Amino acid sequence: MAWIEHEYPDPQALVAGVSAVFEATCRSAIAAHGSALLCLAGGRTPLPIYAHLAHARLRGTLTAIPGDERCVPHTHAACNLRNLREAFATDASLQVQPLTTTDGDVDASLGLARTWLAAHPQDFDAVLLGMGGDGHFASLFPGAANVTDGLALDSGMDAIATTPNPLPPEAPFARISLTLPRLLRAAAIHLVVTGADKRRVLREAQQQSHSPYPIAALLHGNAATPIHIHWSP
Ligand SMILES: O=C1O[C@H](COP(=O)(O)O)[C@@H](O)[C@H](O)[C@H]1O
């Protein structure tokens, strides 16, 4: 099986469980090589996990990169970088690397993301992913024109620019997303999902490797490490 399931009674228990795993991962990476490199989901669900890390007194450098970013200015409320930096604000040793330029220009942002990723080819110590109700993860959306480029394991690309189709009303923006092969280069991969509707999508994707939900490509992507699925109502 390519995944391991962890079920929690409520979102607070999920946050506590995943926070403990990420804290332990960061501590052992810092003990082993002085720093930790994380790839972190955007969206609302994981923000309390990041707040936990910010208060954990990790005593080492932690560099995080969003797994995807909305192409908006860094001051915009929908900017994943802004939300990550706010969550990490209490510990100056937690740094968040932007995937986009300050103004959110799509082409310049793609260049910036690819340049940074090429200069940091090492595996992530851990990747945290969320999932939308449409089965997207990072910004690999069903129906996007180039979603197959983002999911192809042999593309040789670390990041793509993409536009969800249809645009999600809560965040109607072009995106920069890490690709599936870059996300899979990790010592540990965690997927956090809440709610019964998202669980139905997840179950369908677990059962069908050729499901139209992009998350199926992650689950059946022959990751070198199992995908930890964390779910709560
Ligand atoms: O658009 C996005 O949505 C997903 C899910 O977000 P959530 O608020 O339902 O947790 C997120 O994982 C992704 O990074 C984000 O850009």
Side-chain angles (χ1 to χ4, degrees):
M1 186 192 289
W3 55 78
I4 298 170
E5 298 197 34
H6 309 265
E7 190 166 329
Y8 305 86
D10 52 52
Q12 292 75 18
L14 180 149
V15 164
V18 178
S19 295
V21 171
F22 267 74
E23 183 180 336
T25 298
C26 291
R27 288 196 192 286
S28 53
I30 288 166
H33 43 89
S35 62
L37 178 63
L38 303 181
C39 176
L40 297 177
R44 308 305 305 174
T45 312
L47 290 177
I49 299 167
Y50 308 151
H52 173 93
L53 288 180
H55 288 94
R57 297 177 185 276
L58 293 172
R59 301 187 196 289
T61 306
L62 185 155
T63 302
I65 185 162
D68 69 312
E69 184 58 277
R70 291 86 181 260
C71 291
V72 293
H74 287 180
T75 49
H76 197 289
C79 179
N80 287 335
L81 175 81
R82 172 186 144 146
N83 294 324
L84 271 162
R85 283 185 170 164
E86 272 180 18
F88 281 165
T90 55
D91 187 341
S93 62
L94 310 189
Q95 297 296 318
V96 190
Q97 165 63 31
L99 278 183
T100 50
T101 53
T102 312
D103 62 358
D105 177 78
V106 177
D107 293 337
S109 295
L110 181 60
L112 179 145
R114 286 183 169 165
T115 300
W116 192 89
L117 288 162
H120 297 81
Q122 66 268 41
D123 289 3
F124 295 114
D125 291 299
V127 168
L128 180 65
L129 293 167
M131 187 190 84
D134 57 1
H136 84 265
F137 66 100
S139 274
L140 302 173
F141 282 82
N146 58 346
V147 67
T148 48
D149 291 344
L151 296 175
L153 293 172
D154 58 356
S155 70
M157 288 188 283
D158 286 334
I160 59 166
T162 186
T163 302
N165 180 18
L167 284 170
E170 71 284 5
F173 311 108
R175 317 284 185 104
I176 302 297
S177 182
L178 268 61
T179 60
L180 176 58
R182 185 64 187 93
L183 290 165
L184 290 176
R185 292 214 325 260
I189 301 172
H190 298 269
L191 173 65
V192 292
V193 178
T194 57
D197 289 346
K198 286 188 182 180
R199 190 179 218 189
R200 271 191 289 279
V201 170
L202 192 60
R203 287 280 178 254
E204 200 175 312
Q206 285 174 297
Q207 283 154 16
Q208 298 176 38
S209 57
H210 291 99
S211 148
Y213 296 124
I215 197 73
L218 170 75
L219 297 173
H220 300 279
N222 290 325
T225 179
I227 315 280
H228 289 269
I229 300 174
H230 302 267
W231 180 84
S232 78

